[in-house]
Amino acid sequence: MTLELSYQSKLLSPYQSKLQGWPGLIEAYRSYLPVTEETPVVSLKEGNTPLIPVPAIADKIGRQVEVFVKYDGLNPTGSFKDRGMTLAISKAKEAGAKAVICASTGNTSAAAAAYALRGGMRAFVLIPDGYVALGKLAQALLYGAEVLAIKGNFDQALQIVKDVAKKYPVTLVNSVNPYRLEGQKTGAFELVDTLGDAPDWLCIPVGNAGNITAYWMGFCQYHKSKKCDRLPKMMGFQAAGAAPIVKGYPIAHPETVASAIRIGNPASWKKAIEAQKASQGSFTAVTDEEILEAYRLLASNEGIFCEPASAASVAGLLKIKDQVPRGAKIVCVLTGHGLKDPDVAIKHSHNDHFSQGIEPTTEAVAKIMGL
């Protein structure tokens, strides 16, 4: 029996080793996260997303800068939200939760639904009716979440789910849940591990302001552990129609094509300001036109398809390029995949090379090709 098991083990081991690979965020950074041996890890092998050089963006800035994008749209559900959700759902399961709830402009609902399903829990998501990109809504529905669309905006939805979580046995997994930020800070760890140090600037879209807060937490923790020699300036960018931090007051009716950051009263507002001040960074508003220009630029010049909100980081960098120090190393966080919002891509592609109604012949196709 022992020999037979040993033989089977030898047969399986190459296959198993291929399957193992990247262990997921919790296992990769366990010593930096609030988990124990008793924490049931709920994972889709999130994290380990690529850091991609973008020379066309760097050329527009000049000054011998290096620019990279951290493409978190390649997480399992297509956004950075998976980083926080693996930990939030794992800790909820550890506490015995049977159901979770969140308010969402789309990405949080997709991540919450997927990880709750993986953890054997029910997921309830509140969304602003008519203001969630179809790609994100489709995900939440297919993952089996119970989607509740309210006649209101994200900020109203967030207040409702906070109230529900206080009164009923359901765990809130929005970024006000501290485990969400603990998971999201791993993005900073990955940047340092890849670059060998922190970048000079971190450019990041700001909606509910949890991610900029989390990245700063991560950089500070790694710096304290002597994993990096410096801390970056945290450069946050909000859509002009949803820029409460830039303006200094909540926006009752935020509007922007970048639906993921269409938030008028960020939950992590205070912490984001603290991160910005401590890092000597800044907050800047970018218009929808600037966001869409960066969105198209990333796709047409770099081959990177991100969702519109993600492009706010690049749009912001280009807007304040005169402030960039010579020789700086800059990372722009791309928070979500472009397929999250295909309608915007089609509507704003500005591509006049889409020919329809062509006869199904070689000659007709060759003619259109100019051959």
Side-chain angles (χ1 to χ4, degrees):
M1 179 65 74
T2 304
L3 287 174
E4 183 181 350
L5 288 173
S6 175
Y7 175 66
Q8 288 177 340
S9 176
K10 287 179 180 178
L11 285 177
L12 290 171
S13 59
Y15 178 65
Q16 288 172 329
S17 65
K18 286 181 181 179
L19 280 180
Q20 287 170 358
W22 172 254
L25 290 178
I26 292 177
E27 296 302 345
Y29 296 108
R30 176 175 280 274
S31 62
Y32 293 93
L33 297 172
V35 294
T36 68
E37 291 302 318
E38 285 70 45
T39 305
V41 177
V42 181
S43 174
L44 289 166
K45 305 299 184 183
E46 57 295 311
N48 196 28
T49 55
L51 186 66
I52 307 170
V54 282
I57 305 298
D59 287 346
K60 286 185 172 293
I61 297 169
R63 305 187 186 197
Q64 297 181 317
V65 301
E66 291 182 89
V67 183
F68 303 84
V69 293
K70 178 63 168 169
Y71 193 18
D72 256 0
L74 294 184
N75 271 301
T77 76
S79 87
F80 77 99
K81 302 289 187 175
D82 294 350
R83 290 186 179 276
M85 208 57 73
T86 180
L87 192 59
I89 296 295
S90 295
K91 295 300 286 188
K93 188 174 179 66
E94 183 179 12
K98 303 297 182 185
V100 298
I101 192 169
C102 69
S104 180
T105 55
N107 284 329
T108 299
S109 67
Y115 283 83
L117 172 69
R118 193 80 173 180
M121 287 175 267
R122 296 176 70 187
F124 297 88
V125 299
L126 264 68
I127 63 173
D129 198 4
Y131 284 90
V132 170
L134 291 180
K136 303 171 188 180
L137 179 59
Q139 285 182 280
L141 292 171
L142 262 291
Y143 292 140
E146 299 182 50
V147 180
L148 312 173
I150 66 164
K151 297 177 181 178
N153 59 29
F154 169 83
D155 302 293
Q156 292 170 305
L158 181 58
Q159 187 56 56
I160 291 170
V161 296
K162 284 180 180 178
D163 293 342
V164 169
K166 286 179 182 177
K167 297 177 181 178
Y168 303 98
V170 57
T171 300
L172 181 64
V173 291
N174 277 100
S175 58
V176 292
N177 179 323
Y179 297 121
R180 280 281 308 279
L181 301 189
E182 288 285 339
Q184 286 169 212
K185 73 183 181 185
T186 58
F189 297 165
E190 289 181 18
L191 288 183
V192 174
D193 290 343
T194 303
L195 292 172
D197 205 344
D200 295 292
W201 279 21
L202 185 86
C203 299
I204 190 165
V206 177
N208 215 23
N211 215 23
I212 189 171
T213 302
Y215 264 88
W216 182 243
M217 286 169 54
F219 285 125
C220 288
Q221 192 170 358
Y222 247 30
H223 187 259
K224 186 176 180 180
S225 299
K226 302 189 184 305
K227 291 277 191 176
C228 56
D229 297 326
R230 62 189 179 200
L231 292 168
K233 287 191 175 184
M234 305 297 288
M235 314 299 284
F237 300 100
Q238 294 193 294
I245 296 178
V246 175
K247 294 180 179 180
Y249 54 84
I251 307 297
H253 303 288
E255 288 295 338
T256 172
V257 70
S259 60
I261 55 174
R262 189 190 286 132
I263 295 169
N265 191 15
S268 299
W269 188 328
K270 183 179 177 182
K271 290 180 180 178
I273 289 289
E274 290 171 357
Q276 172 255 315
K277 288 182 176 178
S279 71
Q280 299 182 328
S282 66
F283 286 103
T284 305
V286 285
T287 66
D288 278 5
E289 290 73 21
E290 290 166 335
I291 290 171
L292 290 170
E293 181 60 32
Y295 172 69
R296 290 188 290 264
L297 181 65
L298 282 164
S300 62
N301 286 36
E302 304 288 5
I304 298 170
F305 185 29
C306 65
E307 70 169 314
S310 296
S313 60
V314 173
L317 172 61
L318 294 174
K319 186 166 189 169
I320 61 172
K321 64 181 181 180
D322 292 343
Q323 300 175 32
V324 177
R326 186 175 184 81
K329 189 170 289 186
I330 301 163
V331 173
C332 296
V333 179
L334 302 185
T335 47
H337 197 286
L339 290 176
K340 291 280 191 170
D341 199 344
D343 290 349
V344 169
I346 293 168
K347 184 177 180 180
H348 297 282
S349 68
H350 287 187
N351 189 338
D352 57 1
H353 301 296
F354 180 28
S355 302
Q356 296 176 279
I358 303 167
E359 290 298 320
T361 66
T362 303
E363 293 76 14
V365 171
K367 183 178 181 181
I368 292 292
M369 293 171 65
L371 300 175

